[in-house]
Amino acid sequence: MTETSQTLQLPSHESAIALAGVAEENLKFLSRHTGANLVLRGQELSIYGPEKPVERVVKVLRSLQPYWQEAKTISRPDLMTAFQALDTGRMDEYQDLQKSVLARTRRGEVVRAKTFRQKQYIKAIQKHDVTFCIGPAGTGKTFLAAVLAVRALLNDECERLILTRPAVEAGEKLGFLPGDLQQKVNPFLRPLYDALYEFIDPQRIPDLMERGQIEVAPLAYMRGRTLTNAFVIVDEAQNTTPAQLKMVLTRLGFGSKMVVTGDITQTDLPRHQASGLVVATNILKSVEGIAFCHFSQADVVRHPLVQKIVEAYEKFES
């Protein structure tokens, strides 16, 4: 087998850190994934080993140049998507994915799709009035929906932004929590507030909520309403009963969009209770006008350990 080596000169110390990852996790992944050896000394990256693995690594690193050249953090999904693009002849599409900016946070950070499935999810939301997204924790299901929702609100594409989720969590009862009903459910709605704070000044949110432009509420508050000209996000839908999810789906009014997200592997309902998300998927999967997107552990964009945890649970449960 022919041995070869190539050297990649990085433009700065920061770009070397961005490419290598924490504790050189990215370089270790590339080595495990291809069989090539990677050694970083300062700003010089040496790649050596069998010819084909080395060429494969170099092509992937070149495709990621728009990120490491600007010292932008490179995540595991970035690497896996680059390999997927290389193996399926979708490098042009991957370059478009890199250039496509969905929004910027208040701190100026760029928000974009990191995987092909995330890009499909964004397109599905833009094209359909009802979109389901099912997948493990950390895949951006709620966050990307919130980005599109906030953008629609700020661009006057909708009149209201409604974020809702069932007030159900593992082993906890609302009656044991202090305060009135709103204070009891606020801890369950915190992830939705966190997504809003990324794009809207927290000091503005109370005013927008008082005017009814933003509503963050438990699912029970949706009963008997018609949600018109609104962008509705139903989060943690795996913890709805079939009746609850049917109720909120039938609240949809004219000029509205609804995104339903959940992870069917993390249901906190009683053991005998069917998940509304699972039931709705089976009932509505062939209904025209409704989109279904499915994420896997390859789409996890949180800490690299989250991906490993999801993968380990998937293996155990299968």
Side-chain angles (χ1 to χ4, degrees):
M1 190 176 292
T2 306
E3 295 279 324
T4 188
S5 65
Q6 292 200 40
T7 301
L8 190 65
Q9 195 67 39
L10 302 168
S12 67
H13 180 64
E14 290 75 20
S15 65
I17 294 173
L19 177 55
V22 178
E24 298 193 347
E25 182 66 31
N26 289 342
L27 303 186
K28 294 172 185 175
F29 171 79
L30 287 166
S31 182
R32 289 195 305 269
H33 198 73
T34 63
N37 297 295
L38 295 92
V39 177
L40 180 65
R41 293 188 181 91
Q43 294 168 219
E44 189 175 272
L45 178 62
S46 298
I47 307 123
Y48 61 94
E51 189 173 358
K52 286 188 177 180
V54 168
E55 288 178 359
R56 190 165 153 78
V57 169
V58 170
K59 285 179 181 178
V60 164
L61 292 179
R62 292 293 183 196
S63 73
L64 292 165
Q65 187 168 347
Y67 299 152
W68 54 255
Q69 195 164 33
E70 299 295 327
K72 295 176 182 175
T73 302
I74 292 174
S75 65
R76 180 68 61 82
D78 289 325
L79 294 171
M80 295 183 74
T81 304
F83 275 115
Q84 185 183 355
L86 178 63
D87 294 340
T88 58
R90 299 167 74 182
M91 274 300 181
D92 289 343
E93 188 179 345
Y94 185 49
Q95 289 174 356
D96 291 339
L97 186 72
Q98 292 172 325
K99 295 172 186 174
S100 179
V101 175
L102 190 61
R104 290 182 183 272
T105 67
R106 291 187 300 110
R107 296 184 296 276
E109 296 170 354
V110 170
V111 178
R112 57 178 175 79
K114 285 182 171 286
T115 71
F116 289 129
R117 285 196 189 98
Q118 286 190 346
K119 183 180 179 181
Q120 290 167 355
Y121 175 43
I122 291 166
K123 284 187 174 180
I125 294 173
Q126 293 169 333
K127 186 178 178 182
H128 297 84
D129 289 339
V130 177
T131 302
F132 284 80
C133 187
I134 300 164
T139 49
K141 302 183 299 294
T142 305
F143 183 73
L144 290 173
V147 171
L148 291 169
V150 170
R151 193 173 76 171
L153 181 67
L154 298 180
N155 291 342
D156 295 321
E157 295 168 9
C158 67
E159 295 176 359
R160 293 182 292 166
L161 171 52
I162 299 173
L163 303 98
T164 184
R165 69 190 302 203
V168 176
E169 292 294 331
E172 297 189 24
K173 304 290 185 183
L174 287 177
F176 291 103
L177 296 174
D180 59 23
L181 181 59
Q182 190 61 47
Q183 289 171 321
K184 287 175 187 287
V185 300
N186 269 344
F188 300 95
L189 303 171
R190 178 53 53 190
L192 300 177
Y193 283 110
D194 290 344
L196 290 179
Y197 292 157
E198 286 290 323
F199 301 96
I200 300 176
D201 188 331
Q203 294 180 345
R204 279 192 64 198
I205 290 179
D207 179 54
L208 292 170
M209 294 180 77
E210 190 174 329
R211 289 187 292 174
Q213 288 184 274
I214 292 180
E215 181 178 350
V216 184
L219 202 66
Y221 283 26
M222 300 299 112
R223 190 173 298 278
R225 301 172 60 183
T226 301
L227 308 174
T228 57
N229 298 316
F231 198 121
V232 186
I233 299 174
V234 183
D235 192 33
E236 299 288 341
Q238 77 276 5
N239 287 330
T240 63
T241 65
Q244 284 175 327
L245 192 50
K246 178 185 176 184
M247 176 273 292
V248 74
L249 286 168
T250 54
R251 300 305 94 202
L252 192 69
F254 289 108
S256 291
K257 280 184 180 292
M258 184 178 290
V259 181
V260 182
T261 70
D263 177 4
I264 57 176
T265 69
Q266 293 194 34
T267 301
D268 296 319
L269 293 167
R271 190 178 297 274
H272 65 276
Q273 176 66 66
S275 167
L277 182 57
V278 175
V279 172
T281 301
N282 292 330
I283 293 173
L284 303 175
K285 60 186 176 184
S286 59
V287 174
E288 189 177 350
I290 298 178
F292 283 87
C293 300
H294 295 269
F295 287 163
S296 72
Q297 55 90 15
D299 299 290
V300 173
V301 292
R302 289 185 186 165
H303 191 287
L305 271 178
V306 175
Q307 195 170 53
K308 293 178 182 177
I309 290 167
V310 171
E311 189 174 9
Y313 269 94
E314 284 179 355
K315 287 179 180 177
F316 174 78
E317 289 164 358
S318 63

